[in-house]
Amino acid sequence: MYSVSELYIPQTLEEALAFLSAHPDARPLAGGTDVLVAMRNKKLENLRLMSLEKLPELEGIRLREDGVLEIGARTTFTQLAASPEAAVRAPMLRTAALAMGGPQIQNRATIGGNVCNGATSADSAPGLFALDAVLVLQSAAGTRRVPITDFYSGPGRVKRESTELLLHLELPPAASPRHGDCYLKFSTRKAMDLALIGCAAVCELAEDGTVSKAAIALGVAAPTPVRAAEAETFLLGRRPTLADLEEAGELALRSASPRSSWRASKEYREQIIRTLAKRAFRAAYETAGGVF
């Protein structure tokens, strides 16, 4: 059922990076919820796998002294949902984590695998885009930092070099104490289903109550997750009205390029994008302390 040519289990990060340097065709294996399914369906065969289970450098969630929230690549969605640090900095990541499959998948699937798989339907992606997450990758040659908005290159494709491992993700601290976020997922079923559209929003308010930061990110709305730049610019500096939110929903659609599939038509997805963008930002705005 599973075509594996080799399974290597490094005991240290140095061993793992050396193995990838010598075998760039090796596939890192964390939770296995994507890789093993692809192997079972014969989409991947004769794989050289490298397990990440013995690498503590990829684990844990911690709030650093500089205010940055650091999320290890091997953090499972169950761990993310239970993290008090993540709940304070980015509550919507808990929402996204609990929307990811069922409990069995959440117990195994990792946030690093979810991102590195490159799927536009990844529940973690819109929130990480809206939160300006930065990925820290390492190879035997050194370390590099990549904004998540620059990491996706196409459907199922990311800019991780074959000799690199994703160590962790970094979320910068909120610039204002008045901040809120929201993740909304629209799917055909209420549970254990891929998103037809996912939308994350972040709002921060200035002392005078106007919007000092607006972020809206969409999943399954384009070949890769995207930020709705025009809608964000429109909302900045405003005390938004309900009419402004309607306009923001229309502007969010300009950043998207949804397509028809057997799961939903293009026109249906467009309506969902409009609706989720205005609902998600309204929830984030109200959580930040805004009032309509």
Side-chain angles (χ1 to χ4, degrees):
M1 181 181 293
Y2 298 106
S3 178
V4 178
S5 63
E6 180 182 0
L7 174 60
Y8 177 65
I9 307 177
Q11 303 300 304
T12 67
L13 179 61
E14 291 71 22
E15 288 179 7
L17 297 178
F19 185 79
L20 286 180
S21 183
H23 304 284
D25 63 321
R27 187 72 174 257
L29 179 67
T33 55
D34 290 314
V35 173
L36 294 180
V37 171
M39 292 173 67
R40 184 186 62 191
N41 294 334
K42 307 300 182 182
K43 294 181 180 180
L44 297 173
E45 296 188 282
N46 198 33
L47 280 187
R48 175 182 277 120
L49 297 175
M50 185 185 74
S51 172
L52 306 179
E53 63 178 302
K54 301 292 186 181
L55 305 181
E57 295 91 343
L58 309 187
E59 298 177 354
I61 301 175
R62 66 188 185 99
L63 187 62
R64 300 191 325 215
E65 291 184 359
D66 60 1
V68 171
L69 183 68
E70 188 176 294
I71 305 173
R74 281 198 63 235
T75 298
T76 67
F77 284 88
T78 296
Q79 292 168 334
L80 183 60
S83 167
E85 294 86 359
V88 171
R89 174 62 187 96
M92 69 174 164
L93 291 185
R94 181 178 189 274
T95 304
L98 294 175
M100 169 70 175
Q104 299 93 333
I105 296 296
Q106 294 164 16
N107 286 341
R108 290 294 304 168
T110 65
I111 192 168
N114 201 228
V115 170
C116 289
N117 192 46
T120 186
S121 59
D123 282 301
S124 66
L128 294 172
F129 266 62
L131 291 163
D132 298 313
V134 174
L135 281 61
V136 179
L137 301 110
Q138 187 169 342
S139 69
T143 303
R144 69 185 182 109
R145 298 163 53 84
V146 183
I148 195 169
T149 50
D150 295 336
F151 191 59
Y152 287 71
S153 58
R157 301 195 303 274
V158 296
K159 298 176 184 178
R160 181 187 71 86
E161 300 295 333
S162 59
T163 57
E164 288 180 321
L165 278 179
L166 173 61
L167 298 184
H168 58 259
L169 301 95
E170 296 178 349
L171 304 183
S176 168
R178 300 179 67 186
H179 62 92
D181 64 37
C182 176
Y183 175 65
L184 297 178
K185 173 180 179 175
F186 187 92
S187 57
T188 304
R189 300 184 306 191
K190 291 185 178 180
M192 298 182 70
D193 196 11
L194 295 175
L196 287 179
I197 296 292
C199 181
V202 172
C203 177
E204 294 183 1
L205 300 181
E207 290 185 2
D208 63 359
T210 59
V211 175
S212 58
K213 176 179 179 177
I216 299 174
L218 300 164
V220 209
T224 67
V226 293
R227 286 277 292 266
E230 287 188 61
E232 294 173 356
T233 300
F234 171 76
L235 290 164
L236 281 176
R238 295 176 180 265
R239 293 186 181 87
T241 64
L242 295 180
D244 289 335
L245 293 185
E246 293 288 341
E247 178 65 17
E250 293 295 332
L251 292 173
L253 187 56
R254 294 188 188 181
S255 300
S257 53
R259 64 180 181 84
S260 293
S261 72
W262 66 270
R263 301 182 68 232
S265 68
K266 174 184 176 182
E267 293 75 17
Y268 188 49
R269 292 182 195 271
E270 288 176 342
Q271 182 57 35
I272 297 170
I273 289 168
R274 293 186 186 97
T275 301
L276 290 193
K278 66 183 181 183
R279 287 182 181 177
F281 191 81
R282 176 174 182 169
Y285 176 71
E286 290 178 334
T287 301
V291 179
F292 287 97

